[in-house]
């Protein structure tokens, strides 16, 4: 016999049952697991750990040790492509399919430029700068279905991704952020509450200069003229007609870029944001202005 | 045992009454013939609309006369006031509220702390007696206690955020379903005499113990004075609302503003991303 | 204890008479320190920004307070979302996400969307991948009727009987095996 309408039925049952009070409530039966060591048959036994030795005492051998054999990890040749993996920069991926899903669910506003701060705000992307993660790697999974016109700034993007975004009349920029700037972008509210001045964004390290100055990867330090040439070239390579963004109604949004020294859109380095009184403290001191503008 | 319970439930004649909406137009005012004041029906437009369960309608009552007057109808969100009544979740919340501030001061002395017992009671060998090193060993009468309770043991733990949230919605729903939740317009009394409150509770068939909840932490003078001298009638601001107090009192009386504020806050947390917000409160985790 | 005290005194003697000078060296260029900030003993601070070298600096730079600035819109965009936003109806959803339909609420049973606007159908993998259980959560209305429908749908889809289990108090149904895709399709067809 099953009851119909679970919630309604149980609420109407309660109407005719005694009042729920501190005296007549209880947890579900058997919801608490009693992990007591029994003393009866098997209960007082060795719990499957065997008699004496490493099994009973859990003093296991070190990982990889094979009781005197030449261990497996030393027997096979070394794989050098893993050397220095703990020092390399990591870019946690975000697929174009997931980006489209975020846009479909209205968790990110496409009428504004999208950067790592707005993607973290959406709740569907996260990363940790303290684990040497340097931002978003936008990957090409779902490039076929992607159909949003956006101005997006990521840290790493492949050629297919750039083509997929530019095909829909969007704009993509790859930009470098130092770990400290990424921490601010990850939790801007926490930073504003700390009452510190917004710092400058650092310039990329020497091995990344090439990537971020090249027009092919749409680097933020590349020449805009070169980028517009590369946009046409890519359109010819992938065989799509490039939408003219100069005549687009959202041209001001699509042409919005951050300064290479800027971390947040619209907020300049050196400013202090006061969330409580809703005001911004802007430095006037010549010394500071020259420092933050350098 | 089980069959007795089943037959008891059968005797209750439970039937699900379909929810009939009396008024459907938006914020209608229907003047009633027998009463002086007009009956207002408030239909609400929530940011998070009820998906399947229909909103609950409750009467807005008054407490400025002993006779009950219906001042209007009021809609309550089903996610907050008609949630599935989970007795186990109510129980977990009550246990948590009891344990979170409980420190056990039960204390026993170990063999080291019991006075004396430094000397070996008799020689190890040659007497035919069991070997012992101290007369305060746990085996001895008057000896120390092995594995006894030691004082200052805290029973603090944190119930997961959403179980705490569910505890509030479940208890409010159960109270509403059992006719133990009443909505009043405000807490303005004509007199500060506690007898008035006694009579009112008696007449309305509330209580005897009543918890009054307002949305602010300052209340009109009359009600605070009246409540002050009655130990089983208490008043609480909306931010103090908790499962234990709701169960401790027989009847829960919310002001209209308090009911709205509870609904707003709980709906907000039911529809918010709580991962970053709860990160700081996670215990036993890196 | 005595040794510790002696060493502290020795440390203090080293810096006696020139504390201000030393602390000025440690702070930012040209910063002035207020009285009472001199701590002779070296301490470790969790954060340079919270150390007295920064917190005790007297304000000396010239700045301008802009109230209700035009840039506040840029600050607002950065603040976290209070609740997960509702989805505005669109013509197409290229990602394959499907919005719930209005007619689903007239059915005798209902599967509510999660706060992230997804259908709550999940796969539980236990015993190192040996046991797979598909779980449908947040069921309202007639759970047993929904169970019968799912059973017959899965039987027709798989060509064999599929075991299911109903949890009335928890308001969920579990089906033995990985049927997430099938059940998602079924839920979308019903409009959940």
């Amino acid at each position: 016999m099953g009851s119909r309408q679970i919630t309604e039925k149980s609420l109407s049952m309660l109407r005719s049952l005694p009042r729920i009070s501190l005296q007549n409530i209880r947890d579900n039966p058997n919801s608490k697991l009693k992990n007591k060591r029994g003393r009866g048959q098997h209960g007082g036994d060795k719990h499957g750990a065997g008699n004496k030795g490493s099994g009973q005492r859990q003093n296991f051998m070190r990982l990889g040790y094979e009781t005197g054999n030449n261990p497996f990890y030393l027997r096979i040749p070394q794989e050098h492509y893993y050397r220095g993996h703990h020092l390399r920069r990591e870019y946690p991926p975000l697929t174009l399919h997931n980006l489209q899903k975020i846009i479909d669910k209205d968790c990110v506003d496409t009428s504004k430029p999208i950067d790592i701060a707005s993607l973290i705000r959406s709740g569907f992307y996260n990363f940790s700068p303290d684990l040497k993660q340097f931002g978003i790697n936008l990957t090409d999974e779902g490039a076929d279905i992607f159909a949003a016109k956006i101005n997006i700034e990521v840290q790493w993007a492949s050629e297919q991704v750039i083509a997929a975004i530019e095909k829909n009349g969007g704009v993509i920029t790859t930009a470098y952020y130092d770990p400290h700037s990424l921490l601010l972008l990850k939790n801007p509210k926490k930073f504003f509450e700390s009452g510190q001045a917004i710092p400058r964004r650092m310039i990329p390290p020497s091995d990344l200069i090439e990537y971020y100055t090249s027009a092919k990867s749409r680097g933020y330090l590349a020449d805009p003229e070169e980028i517009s040439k590369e946009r046409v070239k890519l359109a010819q390579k992938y065989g799509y007609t490039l939408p003219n963004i100069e005549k687009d109604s959202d041209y001001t949004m699509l042409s919005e870029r951050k300064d290479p020294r800027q971390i947040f859109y619209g907020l300049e380095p050196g400013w202090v944001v006061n969330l409580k009184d809703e005001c911004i403290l802007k430095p006037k001191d010549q010394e500071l202005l020259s420092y933050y503008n350098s | 045992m089980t069959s007795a319970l089943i037959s008891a439930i059968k005797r209750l004649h439970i039937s699900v009454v379909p929810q009939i909406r009396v008024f459907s137009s938006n914020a209608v005012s229907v003047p009633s013939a027998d009463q002086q004041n007009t009956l207002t029906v408030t239909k609400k437009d929530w940011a998070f609309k009820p998906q399947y369960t229909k909103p609950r309608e409750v009467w807005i009552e008054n407490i400025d006369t002993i006779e009950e007057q219906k001042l209007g109808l009021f809609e309550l969100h089903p996610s907050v006031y008609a949630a599935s009544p989970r007795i186990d979740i109510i129980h977990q919340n009550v246990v948590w509220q009891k344990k979170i501030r409980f420190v056990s001061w039960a204390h026993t002395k170990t063999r080291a702390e019991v006075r004396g017992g430094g000397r070996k009671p008799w020689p190890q060998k040659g007497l035919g007696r069991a070997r012992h090193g101290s007369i305060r060993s746990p085996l001895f009468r008057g000896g120390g206690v092995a594995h006894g309770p030691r004082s200052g043991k805290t029973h603090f733990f944190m119930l997961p955020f959403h179980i705490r949230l569910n505890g509030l919605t479940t208890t409010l729903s159960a109270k509403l379903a059992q006719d133990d939740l009443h909505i009043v317009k405000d807490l303005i009394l004509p007199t500060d005499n506690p007898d008035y409150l006694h009579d009112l509770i008696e007449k309305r068939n509330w209580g005897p113990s009543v918890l009054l909840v307002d949305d602010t932490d300052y209340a009109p003078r009359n009600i605070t004075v009246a409540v002050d001298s009655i130990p089983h009638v208490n008043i609480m601001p909306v931010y103090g609302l908790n499962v234990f107090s709701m169960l401790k009192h027989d009847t829960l009386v919310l002001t209209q503003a308090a009911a709205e504020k509870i609904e707003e806050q709980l709906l907000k947390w039911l529809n918010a991303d709580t991962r970053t917000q709860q990160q700081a409160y996670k215990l036993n985790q890196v | 204890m005595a040794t510790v005290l002696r060493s502290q005194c020795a440390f203090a003697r080293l810096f006696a008479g020139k504390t201000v000078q030393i602390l000025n060296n440690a702070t930012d260029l040209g910063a002035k320190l207020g009285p009472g900030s001199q701590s002779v003993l070296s301490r470790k601070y969790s954060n340079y920004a919270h150390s007295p070298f920064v917190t005790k600096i007297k304000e000396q730079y010239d700045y301008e307070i802009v109230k209700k600035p035009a840039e506040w819109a840029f600050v607002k965009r950065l603040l976290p979302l209070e609740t997960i936003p509702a989805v505005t109806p669109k013509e197409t959803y290229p990602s394959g996400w499907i919005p719930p339909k209005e007619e689903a609420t007239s059915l005798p049973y209902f599967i509510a969307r999660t706060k992230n606007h997804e259908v709550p159908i999940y796969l539980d993998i236990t015993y190192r991948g040996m046991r797979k259980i598909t779980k449908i959560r947040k069921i309202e209305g007639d759970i047993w009727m929904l169970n019968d429908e799912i059973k017959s749908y899965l039987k027709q889809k798989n060509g064999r009987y599929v075991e299911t289990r109903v949890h009335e108090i928890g308001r969920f149904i579990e089906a033995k095996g990985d049927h997430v895709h099938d059940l998602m399709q079924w839920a979308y067809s019903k409009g959940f």
Side-chain angles (χ1 to χ4, degrees), chain C residues 67-138:
Chain C
K67 286 204 171 159
K68 296 203 182 346
E71 293 90 354
W72 199 255
F74 294 107
V75 178
K76 261 191 179 167
R77 286 192 209 174
L78 293 167
L79 300 182
L81 293 165
E82 195 152 75
T83 54
I84 296 161
V87 183
T88 49
K90 299 183 195 71
E91 283 151 27
T92 52
Y93 298 91
S95 66
W97 179 82
I98 296 169
K101 287 181 197 140
E102 193 57 47
E103 63 254 32
T105 50
S106 56
L107 290 171
Y109 45 78
F110 187 71
I111 302 172
R113 286 280 171 120
T114 64
K115 59 185 173 186
N116 277 320
H117 316 293
E118 297 286 354
V119 180
I121 298 176
Y122 307 102
L123 185 65
D124 277 354
I125 301 177
T126 38
Y127 298 113
R128 296 168 190 163
M130 294 303 290
R131 187 175 76 170
K132 286 178 183 170
I133 284 176
T134 314
K135 192 172 178 182
I136 309 175
R137 283 189 61 236
K138 295 175 87 117

Side-chain angles (χ1 to χ4, degrees), chain B residues 82-103:
Chain B
S84 185
R86 291 279 299 270
I87 308 294
D88 54 327
I89 287 181
I90 296 179
H91 179 260
Q92 284 177 26
N93 272 272
V94 169
V95 167
W96 170 68
Q97 275 189 266
K98 281 180 180 165
K99 277 192 175 174
I100 189 168
R101 55 185 176 181
F102 174 62
V103 178

Side-chain angles (χ1 to χ4, degrees), chain A residues 153-164:
Chain A
E153 188 192 72
V154 292
Q155 280 63 53
W156 208 268
S158 64
E159 198 182 61
Q160 288 97 315
V161 170
I162 295 169

Side-chain angles (χ1 to χ4, degrees), chain A residues 255-266:
Chain A
S255 58
E256 210 175 322
R257 297 280 188 287
K258 282 182 197 172
D259 189 80
R261 284 297 203 181
Q262 204 178 6
I263 295 173
F264 304 113
Y265 276 111

Side-chain angles (χ1 to χ4, degrees), chain A residues 69-81:
Chain A
N69 289 351
N70 191 14
F72 178 77
Y73 76 95
L74 293 177
R75 220 182 315 154
I76 54 157
Q78 285 187 3
E79 301 183 20
H80 289 293
Y81 43 82

Side-chain angles (χ1 to χ4, degrees), chain B residues 74-207:
Chain B
F74 187 56
E75 269 194 337
L76 296 174
H77 199 285
S79 307
V80 178
Y81 292 97
S84 185
R86 291 279 299 270
I87 308 294
D88 54 327
I89 287 181
I90 296 179
H91 179 260
Q92 284 177 26
N93 272 272
V94 169
V95 167
W96 170 68
Q97 275 189 266
K98 281 180 180 165
K99 277 192 175 174
I100 189 168
R101 55 185 176 181
F102 174 62
V103 178
S104 168
W105 294 107
H107 190 79
T108 52
K109 284 182 178 173
T110 66
R111 58 185 291 170
E113 288 159 355
V114 182
R115 190 183 177 88
R119 188 178 66 171
K120 192 169 179 66
W122 49 77
Q124 180 83 352
K125 295 174 85 69
L127 290 184
R129 303 189 68 175
R131 38 196 186 192
H132 283 292
S134 162
I135 59 160
R136 299 302 183 205
S137 109
L139 302 181
F140 274 66
R141 185 187 148 273
V145 178
H147 305 303
R150 304 289 288 170
S151 70
K153 182 179 166 60
T154 64
H155 288 251
F156 172 83
F157 76 103
M158 220 49 204
L159 203 63
F161 179 74
H162 283 271
I163 294 185
R164 283 179 271 156
L165 213 60
N166 203 348
L168 286 173
T169 56
T170 298
T171 317
L172 286 168
S173 311
K175 282 274 172 201
L176 184 65
Q178 296 196 321
D179 261 348
D180 287 333
L181 191 148
H182 297 272
I183 309 278
V184 294
K185 188 137 192 81
D186 45 42
L187 294 178
I188 295 169
L189 293 187
T191 163
D192 61 0
N193 190 358
D195 291 340
Y196 174 85
L197 211 56
H198 268 304
D199 292 347
L200 186 131
I201 289 167
E202 186 70 31
K203 181 84 183 169
R204 306 269 173 105
N205 209 8
W206 289 356

